[in-house]
Structures are given as C-alpha cells and as structure tokens.
Amino acid sequence: MISRDFLKAGHTPTLFAAFLYFDLSFMVWVILGPLGVAIAKDFHLDPAQKGLMVAVPVLAGALLRLVNGVLVDRIGPKKTGMFGQLIVLGGLATAWLLGVHNYHQVLALGVVLGVAGASFAVALPLASRWYPQEHQGLALGIAGAGNSGTALAALFAPMLAKTFGWQNVIGLAALPLAVAFVVYMLLAKDAPEQPAPKKLAEYLDVLKVPDAWWLMLLYGVTFGGFVGLASSLTIYFNAEYGLDPVIAGFFTAACVFAGSFIRPVGGGLADRFGGVRTLTVVYALAAVGLAAASFKLPSPWLALAVLMFSMLALGAGNGAVFQLAPQRFRKEIGVMTGLIGMTGGIGGFYLASSLGLAKKLTGDYQVGFLGFAALAVFALFALHGLKARWRAVWPTLHGDAAPVRV
C-alpha cells in the first residue's frame, strides 16, 4: 500500500514524528482508564464516578482540539505541538511530585491530560500539508495510527500500577513522552505551504457550511466509539467478567491495537474505493458489533472477539473520514481537523459516561452500547442521503487538484 510515489510525495521524517507524538500523547490521554480499577478502589468510586473519571480527559481533549486547530493555522503545527507537549509533561510531573489525594484532583488531572488528547488536531495537519490529495487517506491513516497509544496504556499501566502503585505510573508516563518530544523537535518540519493567518472569527466560517457538520457527525461516531471503548474496556472487563486489572488491560490492548492499526488500511481503502463507500460498510459493521456487545456474552473471550470486531470497523472508519475531509476543506484543514476531532472526542465522552451511568442505573451496560449502535445506524442513513451531492460537487471545488474518489 505504501508505494514509491507515496514516499517521494511527502516528508517521511515529519510523518514519523507526527505518528510518534500522537501515539504517546494518546497513551497518556486515556491512562486513567487502565488505572481506573486501582483509582476506584482507593477512592471508593461508584460506576457513574468511574465513567465520569475516564470521560473527563476525553471531553477536555475534544474541546481543546478546536483551540489547537486554530493555533495550527495561525502559528503552525510544529509550534502548537511543542507547547502542548510541554504542558502535558509539566502536568504529569506536578501530579507525581505533589500526589493525587482525592477524586476531584483525579478529575483535575483528567483536564490536563485532555491537552494530550488535543494532539490529534496538530499531528494530522502536520502530516497532511506535506501530501497531495491522492495520498491523503494513507498519510493521515499512518499519522492517525497513533491511536495505538491507547493500547500501550492498557497494556502496561495496570502492570506498572500493581508493581509501583498507580500514582507512580503518572510520573513514569512522562518518560516516553519526553523521548517523543525530543524526536518531534528534531524531525518534525512544517510544510512549505501554510495558509495565511485569519481573524479568529473567520476560522469559524466553516461552520456555515453544512458539510462541516456532517463530517463532524460522522467522526463523532467512528472516533467517539473508538476512544470511548478504549477508555472504558479495562473497567468493563473487570466489572462484567471479574478479570484481574492486568488481564483486563491485555484484553483492552488487543481491541485498541486492532482498531488503531487498521486505520491506515481504512484510509488506503478510501483512497482506492472512495470514502463514502468505505464508510457505508464501516457503519453497518459497527452497528452490528455494538448491538451484539450490548448483550452480556457468556464468556470474556466471546466478548473480546465481538469488541475487537467493533473496534476494527470503527478504526477503519476513522481513516476513511479523514480521506474525505481534505477533499472538501483543503485550505481549512487545520481548523476542520480541530472541529472534527472535537466532535469525535465528544462522542467518546458520551459513550464512556453513558456506559458508566447505564451500569449504575440498570446494573449492566446494555443501554449504553445500544445507544451508540443507534448512532451508527443514523450515520449510515445520513451518508446514504449525502453521497450523490458530495460526488457531484466536491471534485469541482479544487480545480488544480488531481481527482480522487469521494
């Protein structure tokens, strides 16, 4: 899938730096989920509090993505990413040195971790601006595979918490992040063509375009489902099947790796067959998987298989949405990445918090899963209604660009 033309078209060091920065930022963004069992035990949290705890970083990251999207267009992606990484490193060091002593301080830490989640709105434009239209799906799929950082958190955080205590894991998380910062500063480079800065109000002009809202909705389902599950599954496997937090972390990591590494495949398939066609399949499969997951399956292994299937669909969808976005908003890709990423994070906040609330109110997670499956069905029907106009209009918007499949 990675051809010679692709390697010649862009800037590979920047693409790698964007991936690594995104990957390790996402690792710390969702770290409260894999640590959630230990934190809940120390502070005696109920299911709704656990759900809110893992949802706060997701919501904070969602809102801050819009801020980063504007900063990317005004000062460039490299500087924006540099400032964000320094804030997160400072926050982790402060939390480790001073300690986290109650639930409200956990939520405050979650807000700081949201800055790491906002890395999405930096890493994707940083990579995107180096590549022509015909390679956008694959380039953004590779950069966006940094979603796999959520699997690193699920894989290692519970084990480290068992050995060193969850508070010390907060400090340990800063070490790989510092390495990523050094690599980023050495390798990342802004593309030669950067849009001219606008007035702040002008950045939100894209919200007057209906297509912007539709792309935001589509990503709210795919990425919202992905990150909501990534944040919640360690707690889910522990609560529903009594798995040890370390084993629950392994199960979560398997799901997240599946969803992360198929993202470039989803982008590549969208380049080849069209984003609309790829997303049509994605939403149908995701709805089936999430609906099946809503019934408490008889074994954790069967639950793992169903949730991996769901994450594969959602991960491919993440890549496909960002094959479409640069076709419609090539000149506004910075702020659009922020807006689309913001709604993706809001979708993740909704899923993570609704799962916890459903468990508290009904005793199981079914209503939360079914609610999100219904959103996938809605996205499927919306896409069906939009595709004819998109295919007719979008190829005419950028006369100098090579035609690509919508």
Side-chain angles (χ1 to χ4, degrees):
M1 193 174 289
I2 300 178
S3 64
R4 285 186 181 180
D5 289 342
F6 176 81
L7 294 174
K8 291 178 181 179
H11 193 254
T12 302
T14 295
L15 184 59
F16 173 74
F19 164 79
L20 187 65
Y21 157 50
F22 189 25
D23 191 61
L24 295 182
S25 293
F26 262 43
M27 178 191 73
V28 299
W29 183 35
V30 301
I31 202 166
L32 294 183
L35 297 178
V37 176
I39 295 172
K41 184 178 179 181
D42 280 2
F43 297 135
H44 309 290
L45 306 182
D46 64 35
Q49 288 175 313
K50 287 188 280 186
L52 182 62
M53 174 182 66
V54 301
V56 162
V58 177
L59 180 61
L63 299 177
L64 290 169
R65 286 175 179 188
L66 178 57
V67 177
N68 272 0
V70 173
L71 287 175
V72 160
D73 280 344
R74 290 188 68 84
I75 66 173
K78 182 167 182 177
K79 286 183 180 178
T80 305
M82 178 186 72
F83 293 137
Q85 289 175 83
L86 289 173
I87 290 170
V88 176
L89 285 167
L92 291 172
T94 301
W96 177 61
L97 291 171
L98 299 181
V100 180
H101 304 292
N102 55 55
Y103 179 60
H104 293 97
Q105 290 180 358
V106 174
L107 297 182
L109 174 61
V111 174
V112 176
L113 296 179
V115 178
S119 62
F120 173 93
V122 179
L124 269 65
L126 179 66
S128 173
R129 289 176 179 172
W130 278 103
Y131 289 86
Q133 289 290 92
E134 63 267 25
H135 294 306
Q136 285 290 313
L138 182 56
L140 293 182
I142 291 172
N147 288 342
S148 60
T150 55
L152 297 177
L155 198 59
F156 295 112
M159 288 191 296
L160 292 171
K162 216 169 195 179
T163 305
F164 301 107
W166 66 266
Q167 302 249 11
N168 287 323
V169 176
I170 301 298
L172 290 172
L175 298 179
L177 208 63
V179 173
F181 178 72
V182 173
V183 172
Y184 180 87
M185 295 305 296
L186 292 174
L187 297 184
K189 184 179 179 182
D190 286 338
E193 294 183 12
Q194 299 290 327
K198 304 177 184 178
K199 294 179 181 179
L200 289 177
E202 291 178 327
Y203 286 104
L204 299 182
D205 284 346
V206 293
L207 293 177
K208 299 175 183 177
V209 182
D211 289 344
W213 290 95
W214 285 117
L215 288 169
M216 289 159 64
L217 169 70
L218 297 178
Y219 200 67
V221 175
T222 60
F223 185 76
F226 174 87
V227 77
L229 290 175
S231 301
S232 305
L233 286 182
T234 300
I235 294 172
Y236 167 81
F237 283 119
N238 173 261
E240 288 292 277
Y241 298 100
L243 298 184
D244 179 85
V246 174
I247 303 301
F250 289 160
F251 275 43
T252 303
C255 293
V256 174
F257 271 125
S260 298
F261 286 106
I262 202 171
R263 181 167 182 154
V265 177
L269 289 173
D271 282 340
R272 184 172 181 180
F273 299 108
V276 168
R277 188 175 298 172
T278 304
L279 282 172
T280 299
V281 176
V282 159
Y283 289 125
L285 295 179
V288 170
L290 291 167
S294 72
F295 299 94
K296 185 174 179 180
L297 299 166
S299 79
W301 292 102
L302 187 56
L304 173 64
V306 169
L307 288 165
M308 282 186 69
F309 173 84
S310 303
M311 289 288 261
L312 283 166
L314 294 168
N318 290 336
V321 172
F322 270 91
Q323 185 264 356
L324 291 171
Q327 293 186 51
R328 180 60 180 85
F329 297 101
R330 184 174 62 174
K331 294 180 180 179
E332 304 88 0
I333 191 60
V335 69
M336 277 307 303
T337 300
L339 286 166
I340 293 171
M342 179 185 70
T343 50
I346 291 172
F349 171 81
Y350 163 73
L351 179 57
S353 57
S354 67
L355 287 175
L357 189 61
K359 177 68 173 177
K360 181 179 180 179
L361 296 178
T362 67
D364 61 42
Y365 293 97
Q366 185 173 41
V367 174
F369 279 119
L370 285 177
F372 215 80
L375 285 177
V377 173
F378 177 78
L380 178 63
F381 280 101
L383 194 64
H384 180 72
L386 292 165
K387 63 183 181 182
R389 180 175 62 83
W390 284 6
R391 286 170 175 165
V393 174
W394 286 14
T396 69
L397 295 176
H398 308 292
D400 60 329
V404 291
R405 290 180 180 270
V406 177

